[in-house]
Amino acid sequence: MADVDTEKDTRKRWIGAEHPRYKWVALSNTTLGMLIATINSSIVLISLPAIFNGIHLNPLEPGNVSYLLWMLMGYMLVTAVLVVTLGRLGDIWGRVRIYNAGFLIFTVTSVILSLDPMGGGGGALWLIGWRVVQAVGGAMLMANSAAIITDAFPARQRGMALGVNMVAAIAGSFIGLVLGGVLAEWNWRSIFWVNVPIGVIGTVWAYRSLHETGVRRPGRIDWWGNITFAVGLTALLAGITYGIQPYGGHTMGWTNPWVLAGLIGGAAVLVAFCVIETKVAEPMFPLRLFRDPVFAGGNLATLLGSIARGGLQFMLIVWLQGIWLPLHGYEYEQTPLWAGIYLVPLTVGFLAAGPIAGHLSDRFGARMFAAGGLVVMAASFAGLLALPTDFGYVWFALLVFLNGLGGGLFAAPNTALVMSSVPAADRGAASGMRATFQNAGMVLSIGVFFSLMVAGLAGSLPQTLNDGLTAQGVSPADAHAVAQLPPVGTLFAAFLGYNPIHELLGPQVLSGLPASNAQTLTGREFFPHLISGPFHDGLMVVFSLAIAMSLVAALASLLRGRRAGTVDGGPESGATTVPDGDASVSRGAA
C-alpha cells in the first residue's frame, strides 16, 4: 500500500494526461524523438568520407561499394520495413510504451556505434549491423510519434501540432548535413556521440512524462503479414540497391540474376502479403483504410514527395561536393562541411513554412496547402533545371529555399489529412503506414535517381573523360581504359567529395607525364570541369522526373472523401466529430 501511495505522489509531481499542458509535453518529446531519428540518417550521409577514412577503408574500390551502399541505406530500409509493424504494436500494447522503448534502444546503440573497435571491412560491418539495430529504435519513434500527438491534441489544433513534429522530422534530415559536416571535421565517432546526451534526456523524459491517452485495442500479431511484408519489401529495396552497381560489363546491374530475383520475387511476396491482409481478422496493414480516398491520396502524395525530396538531397550533395565547391576554391576535404552550410536555405524554408502551414490548415483546410506546397516544389525543380552547373549562389539559395518552403507547406497538412481520416483505434497503424511510404520513398529515390543519373552519365561521360585525359598528355590506351570504367564510380566519387583521377590513372601513368599536366589532372578544377557537362545532362532527366512526381502528388492531395463528411482538417470539411472528442473522422473511414 505504501508503494502505491509513493507512486501516486511521484505521478502528482508530473503533468498528468488530463492536464491542459500535457499535449505540449507530448508534442515536445515526440518532436525531439523525430528530430534525433531523422538527423541520424543524414548525419551519416554527409560524414561517409570521414567514416571510411577513420576505419581505413577506401569506398571507391569495387569490392567496397556494397559497404558504402548499406551504410547509407541500411538504416532507411529497416525503418521502412518495420514502422507499420511497430505502429500496429502501438495500437495493441500502447503507443507510449513502444515509443519509450525506441528512445532507449536508439540511445544505447549510439554508444555502441561510437565504440567501433575494428578497421577495414570488419569495422564497416560493425557500423552497418548496429545501424540496423539503431533503426529498430528509430522506427519505434517514427511509427508512434504522430499517433501520440493525434491522441493528445483536439482536431482544431492537430494540424499545428503535427506541423511542428513533421517539420522537425524533415528539417532534421538537413540539419544532419550541417551537423555531420562540422563533427566529421573533428572526429568521425562524434557523429554518434552527439546522439547520447540528447537520447538520455529524451528517454528519461519520455518514461517520466508520457501517458497512454489513445484507444488501445487488444489483438493478436499478424505473423504471416509481418513476415511477408518484411521479406517482400526488403527483397525489393535490396534489388533496387544492387541494381545501380555494375554487372557483367554493363554500367548497372539490372540484368544481374540476383537483382532480378529480388525485384520480381519481392514484388510477388508483396502481392501475397496483400492477399493475406484481406483474409486475416486483424491485419497489420489494414487495407480497408485505403478505401478512403483521402487516406489513399495522402499516402500516395507522401511516397512521391519523399522520392522527389530524396532525389533532390542526393543530387544537390553531388552537385556541391563534386563540382561547385571545388570550382570555387574549396579543398575536397572541406566540401562535406561547406555543402551542409550552403544547403541551410533549404532547412530555413522548411522551418519557416511548416508550423505556419499547420496552423493555417487548422483554420482554412489542409487540402489546398498540401497540394500548393507540392506545386511550389515542382516550380523550384524547374528553376534548378535552368541554372548552369557553375551557378551564382544567390539564385541557387533562393531556389532551394523555395523548395524547402514547398516541402514545409506540404508536410503538416498532408500528415493531418492522413491521420485524421482514420478511426482512433487505427492511428498507430496509420502512422506506421504513412512513415513506411515516407521512408520507402527515400530508399527508392536512391535507386531511381542514381540509376537515371548513371544512365545520363553513360551517354556522354566516356567521350568527355577520354578527350579530357588525352588533352593533358595521357596516352590514348590509358585514357580509353579509364573512360570505359563504370560511371557509377565517378558518381560516387562526386557524391563523397573525392577527386578519383589520381586513383584511376595510378602513380605510374602520372609519373610519366609532365609535372604541370600531372598537377592539372590531380588539382581541384580538372575533375569538376570534366564531369560538369555530363552531370548536367543527367540532372535534366532527374529533375524532370521530380517535377512530374511533385505534380502527380499534388493531384493526389486534392482527392476528397467518398462522402461530404470526410476530414480536410479545416472548417470546410464538415467533418463529423467522433465521441472521443479529439478526432474528426469521416464516416467512410470509420
Side-chain angles (χ1 to χ4, degrees), residues 294-554:
V294 175
F295 184 82
N299 279 301
L300 176 60
T302 297
L303 176 65
L304 294 176
S306 181
I307 294 174
R309 187 172 62 251
L312 172 78
Q313 187 177 39
F314 292 114
M315 292 306 107
L316 291 185
I317 290 174
V318 173
W319 200 346
L320 289 172
Q321 292 191 181
I323 299 174
W324 194 82
L325 287 168
L327 288 179
H328 287 256
Y330 292 88
E331 298 293 341
Y332 280 97
E333 294 77 11
Q334 299 175 323
T335 56
L337 169 63
W338 287 100
I341 292 173
Y342 280 118
L343 286 175
V344 164
L346 189 61
T347 305
V348 172
F350 275 116
L351 295 175
I356 296 174
H359 175 71
L360 293 178
S361 68
D362 286 334
R363 298 183 57 191
F364 302 111
R367 187 173 287 111
M368 294 307 298
F369 280 94
L374 290 163
V375 171
V376 171
M377 286 177 63
S380 70
F381 283 122
L384 289 169
L385 276 177
L387 284 182
T389 309
D390 189 10
F391 51 78
Y393 179 71
V394 172
W395 289 107
F396 177 85
L398 288 173
L399 287 169
V400 296
F401 173 81
L402 186 66
N403 190 281
L405 200 71
L409 290 173
F410 164 74
N414 177 72
T415 304
L417 283 171
V418 171
M419 293 303 298
S420 294
S421 67
V422 299
D426 287 320
R427 286 179 189 158
S431 178
M433 292 158 79
R434 182 198 57 78
T436 290
F437 286 112
Q438 181 169 306
N439 293 331
M442 292 297 292
V443 180
L444 285 170
S445 70
I446 298 177
V448 170
F449 288 112
F450 267 111
S451 296
L452 290 173
M453 181 59 72
V454 169
L457 290 174
S460 53
L461 182 62
Q463 189 61 47
T464 303
L465 192 58
N466 186 78
D467 293 344
L469 292 175
T470 54
Q472 293 298 322
V474 177
S475 70
D478 289 329
H480 179 75
V482 170
Q484 296 308 306
L485 292 174
V488 68
T490 304
L491 186 60
F492 277 134
F495 177 69
L496 293 170
Y498 279 82
N499 182 351
I501 296 297
H502 188 281
E503 183 178 332
L504 291 175
L505 290 177
Q508 186 174 355
V509 173
L510 289 171
S511 63
L513 298 175
S516 59
N517 290 28
Q519 186 175 359
T520 299
L521 288 169
T522 57
R524 278 197 308 261
E525 297 187 4
F526 178 78
F527 180 63
H529 273 305
L530 197 66
I531 67 170
S532 60
F535 174 79
H536 193 266
D537 294 340
L539 205 64
M540 295 289 289
V541 179
V542 168
F543 282 168
S544 295
L545 181 61
I547 292 171
M549 285 184 172
S550 299
L551 294 177
V552 172

Side-chain angles (χ1 to χ4, degrees), residues 11 17 22 25-26 29-30 86-87 89-104 140-141 143-145 147-149 151-152 202-216 428:
R11 289 183 177 274
Y22 172 72
V25 173
N29 190 276
T30 54
L86 295 169
L89 288 177
D91 288 336
I92 297 173
W93 293 342
R95 293 154 194 166
V96 169
R97 178 180 296 177
I98 301 298
Y99 175 88
N100 291 350
F103 236 138
L104 180 62
M140 288 177 169
L141 297 173
N144 292 282
S145 61
I148 291 171
I149 290 173
D151 289 336
T203 301
V204 174
W205 183 17
Y207 272 99
R208 298 299 300 270
S209 300
L210 296 182
H211 308 284
E212 296 288 357
T213 60
V215 177
R216 289 176 60 179

Side-chain angles (χ1 to χ4, degrees), residues 25-157:
V25 173
L27 175 61
S28 301
N29 190 276
T30 54
T31 298
L32 179 65
M34 288 297 289
L35 188 66
I36 192 174
T38 53
I39 282 177
N40 195 69
S41 61
S42 60
I43 202 172
V44 170
L45 174 70
I46 202 75
S47 306
L48 281 173
I51 292 173
F52 276 95
N53 286 333
I55 61 176
H56 309 295
L57 192 67
N58 183 358
L60 301 182
E61 290 182 4
N64 293 336
V65 172
S66 294
Y67 293 134
L68 172 67
L69 284 172
W70 282 107
M71 200 173 295
L72 181 64
M73 298 176 63
Y75 183 91
M76 291 184 285
L77 191 151
V78 172
T79 53
V81 168
L82 290 182
V83 283
V84 175
T85 300
L86 295 169
R88 177 75 179 116
L89 288 177
D91 288 336
I92 297 173
W93 293 342
R95 293 154 194 166
V96 169
R97 178 180 296 177
I98 301 298
Y99 175 88
N100 291 350
F103 236 138
L104 180 62
I105 292 171
F106 194 94
T107 304
V108 171
T109 50
S110 294
V111 176
I112 296 173
L113 281 162
S114 69
L115 299 176
D116 187 349
M118 294 178 282
L125 290 174
W126 175 283
L127 294 176
I128 292 168
W130 283 109
R131 284 268 291 170
V132 166
V133 179
Q134 188 179 54
V136 176
M140 288 177 169
L141 297 173
M142 293 178 186
N144 292 282
S145 61
I148 291 171
I149 290 173
T150 307
D151 289 336
F153 278 82
R156 67 181 182 275
Q157 294 179 317

